[in-house]
Amino acid sequence: MTLNTAPIVLRLDRITKRFGALTANDAISFELRQGEVIALLGENGAGKTTLMNILFGHYTPDAGSVEVFGQPLPPGNPRAALEAGVGMVHQHFTLADNMSVLENIVLGTASLWRPGFGRAAARRRIETLMQDYGLRVDMEAEVGALSVGERQRVEILKALYREARILILDEPTAVLTPQETEDLFATMRRAVARGLSVIFISHKLHEVTAISSRVVVLRHGRLVAEAQTADTSAAQLAQMMVGAEVATPKVRQATPGAVRVALRGVTTPDRGSAPGLKAVDLDLRAGQITGLAGVSGNGQAALADLIGGLIAPASGALRLSDAPVTGWSPRAALAARIARIPEDRHKTGTIADFDLTENAVLELYATAPFSRRGWMNWRAARDFAQKVITGYDVRCPGPETRIRLLSGGNMQKLILGRVLETTPDVVLANQPVRGLDIGALTYVHEQLLAARDRGAAVLLISEDLDEVTALSDVIHVISEGRLSPAFDRGALSVAELGVWMAGEGFDHAA
Amino acid sequence: MRLEPIANPALTRRLGLPALALAGTVVIASLLAMIAGAQPFSVLGLILKGAFGSKFATLETLNRATPLIFTGLAVAVAFRAKLWNIGAEAQLYMGAVVTVVLGTGALAWPAAALLPVMAVAAMLAGALVLLVPTFLKTRFGVDEVVTTLLLNFIVLLWVSMLLEGPLKDPMGLGWPKSARLIEEARLPRIIDGLRLHWGFGLALISAAVVWVIQRRTTLGYEMRAVGLNAGAARFAGIPVNATLIKTALLSGGLAALAGFSEVAGLKGNLTLDISPGFGYTGIIVAMLALLNPLGVVVAALFVAGIFVGADSMSRAAGVPTYLADIMLAVALLLMVLAIMLTKFRVRRG
């Protein structure tokens, strides 16, 4: 183990935070040294975000203290954290879409009402920062028109402009193509070379090993391991994260059958900055998992909404088992035995203040036996919920628990159970494991594979390329609403897929 | 100071805070009474006595609570589906107009046939008034808060026109009031000799029916789902717009029953002051009841008790009846605060 003697810039001392009975952070202590990249690793719900929110002053810890450059940081004060030199790039960007890049970066440091607000000086400073850190963005462009990767660069510039000496990046690669991720890592390397320190939150192990010098692993709110990255392997890290060996799903050979859903030249309208579909051809076959790879916001939502019944094609044809559809709606999709796992389980998949019973029958409530002549049969609904809870291992106090109290994984298991209990012909899984811990993730993947083996046509939409390549029998790449041809499993390397994701393969292929 | 959400508030918090809000109301009302120059506790005693101290007072309170139960239910039903019906006042007047049109001799039927027809017709009229803003909302996204609120003034002016014109009582010595209902069109008293009409019974039945609809029927499930999360409801295949329309029909109909019950049960004719803002007070009632239909009955009795009690208190103690309005306002503010504090914890810093 190499001894790092650089000065300590950040010291977390026995940070403890409880939410009711849940201890989100249990006496967590670690130090960050100058010029160091620490990877903060842990499953969802391990307490990473809580810890960073405490560090940045969004939460007040119940016990423990934070020290920045030797000075104690007053708890619960984001401004103090900013002034002490802590900059945070959130998973969800905090930019004003209708303002220019320059204005967004300067926002909050100078009054924009003051004529000029030292615009020229600000521009010069940002220009230097871009040079120094290799962050290229058009300063006059409106942020709303930027790609996700560019927006992230603006966020980082914003932190650097405020003279951040400690950068916290919360799952920064979740929205990037493999190439953009490489660029981000280059920026991070430049930053540490200039004496900054970085806390990098992720659960993608190969990224952690690629960029970090040290790893801190959290599990169930506790710090379970701290190690030099060079001294560990990805497999060891995974084991530390979950406390057990990780089983990668065993993918059996698929036996594709008839086409269950077919899209022919389907176009849907654009939605704000997100493109609609552009003349998309797609076949979903029984007994096959079709993976959709792509950077977030490239038309995945439009495709999911189309197959889920929320929108109809503006032009082109949607055919189910070779019959054209009419009167396309969520109910029609359900009647066509399409099981839908929505992208956002909190906002679209469930109703937070409904209990598990009410959520279990959300799609089936109007059908027998749950409803007869307009009356709800709550006994049947409760039995169904109980069946899903036991059948799909939903950990909860009981069917009358409000679903907002469940963890994301258990919420997803309930959704999975409620749609798979109906033995669907088609399964639309949109980001099915986003934010899930490895246990729940493996479970969801096994269920999707089982559904495939039962003969369902599965469409897997994911921004996680590893997930798509691991599970899919055939892969399409979506970019700017255009769909690539189908590639068989293993036909393209990750780098080649990345080229398609960046929208560069289409011109040759067409 | 910041607010931090509480994931699962304890029962003590959920019940204790509203109780504290009521206690706070009593304390503040006492202080105000003191400022007005009266004995604080005697004022509260007088309000209680004025509202429930005698058979007469109690019946008066029940009569006053009746339209508030209807408008409170109308608001509770609509708000539960996040249909912001601020127009219960207009719907009430529409119900009253239809009651007068049918009940002043146009239909010479026996009471057993006439009263149900009047009630249903009144409900339809009230439902129609709310249907227009609801259509504008579902079709064009027009904010129903604005449209229902403005309709209140339109309907009130229209009723004023009717009372100066076609509905004016020819024997009314020029006053803007309608003719009196025929005997068959009057709601009978629940017990002979006691001044309490069947409108109150109908209000209690309505509360029970609304409760059953919300908890036991498919429609109630749809209404609650749409109110809690319209996006998830739409995704799950719940017909969101159709549910809002059905909610509007129920809500408008309930508010119209307040007008029906006031004209056919209490007043016997229609004047412009038949409702001293029952439609708006219905919002307070519904909020105090946390939108629970059975809670609406309790809240309506509470609000009616304060109004009736304040009347007699002001006569006895020489304190202005405005105290009743202030007490209600304080109760509402504290209750809203209590509801918020059951969901959030206040943190310093």
Side-chain angles (χ1 to χ4, degrees), chain A residues 391-472:
Chain A
Y392 293 81
D393 189 31
V394 181
R395 312 254 170 90
C396 64
E400 51 290 306
T401 316
R402 284 187 308 148
I403 204 158
R404 71 157 67 242
L405 300 175
L406 263 57
S407 72
N410 284 313
M411 217 180 261
Q412 193 72 329
K413 285 182 194 168
L414 183 93
I415 293 174
L416 198 66
R418 100 179 159 206
V419 300
L420 293 184
E421 268 302 302
T422 60
T423 54
D425 289 342
V426 179
V427 178
L428 165 65
N430 192 357
Q431 318 290 352
V433 299
R434 175 142 80 193
L436 296 192
D437 62 51
I438 291 192
L441 177 151
T442 314
Y443 186 84
V444 170
H445 283 166
E446 277 166 5
Q447 289 293 330
L448 290 180
L449 283 168
R452 181 199 75 171
D453 293 344
R454 272 199 306 271
V458 180
L459 175 62
L460 170 67
I461 303 177
S462 175
E463 284 148 22
D464 187 342
L465 198 50
D466 296 343
E467 183 188 6
V468 174
T469 49
L471 285 180
S472 311

Side-chain angles (χ1 to χ4, degrees), chain B residues 319-331:
Chain B
V319 173
T321 49
Y322 294 124
L323 188 64
D325 292 302
I326 298 176
M327 271 181 81
L328 269 192
V330 169

Side-chain angles (χ1 to χ4, degrees), chain A residues 24-25 28 41-48 218-222:
Chain A
N25 285 163
I28 294 177
L41 200 59
E43 300 184 284
N44 257 77
K48 297 176 304 221
L218 299 189
R219 188 165 79 227
H220 302 312
R222 291 220 181 88

Side-chain angles (χ1 to χ4, degrees), chain A residues 116-131:
Chain A
F117 63 85
R119 207 182 175 94
R123 175 186 289 281
R124 274 194 302 278
R125 260 195 71 200
I126 298 170
E127 193 63 48
T128 322
L129 287 173
M130 285 188 179
Q131 290 287 342

Side-chain angles (χ1 to χ4, degrees), chain A residues 66 70 128 137 170 194 257 336 339 375 479:
Chain A
V66 181
T128 322
V137 202
D170 190 3
R194 302 183 75 84
W375 292 90
S479 174

Side-chain angles (χ1 to χ4, degrees), chain A residues 10-77:
Chain A
L10 172 74
R11 191 198 301 272
L12 295 175
D13 189 23
R14 282 163 295 164
I15 299 282
T16 300
K17 177 75 183 172
R18 290 184 200 88
F19 295 106
L22 178 85
T23 305
N25 285 163
D26 191 356
I28 294 177
S29 307
F30 69 85
E31 289 154 1
L32 177 69
R33 287 175 187 275
Q34 192 182 341
E36 189 180 38
V37 178
I38 283 195
L40 191 58
L41 200 59
E43 300 184 284
N44 257 77
K48 297 176 304 221
T49 306
T50 305
L51 188 64
M52 289 306 109
N53 277 326
I54 288 170
L55 170 54
F56 200 63
H58 287 314
Y59 290 153
T60 316
D62 293 323
S65 61
V66 181
E67 233 176 63
V68 180
F69 297 108
Q71 299 295 316
L73 198 65
N77 188 345

Side-chain angles (χ1 to χ4, degrees), chain A residues 58 340 358 365 374 376, chain B residues 2 216 218 221-222 224 235:
Chain A
H58 287 314
R340 303 160 311 148
E358 289 166 320
Y365 77 96
M376 291 298 291
Chain B
R2 289 177 308 123
R216 296 267 177 261
T218 315
Y221 178 80
E222 290 171 334
R224 288 186 296 128
F235 178 83

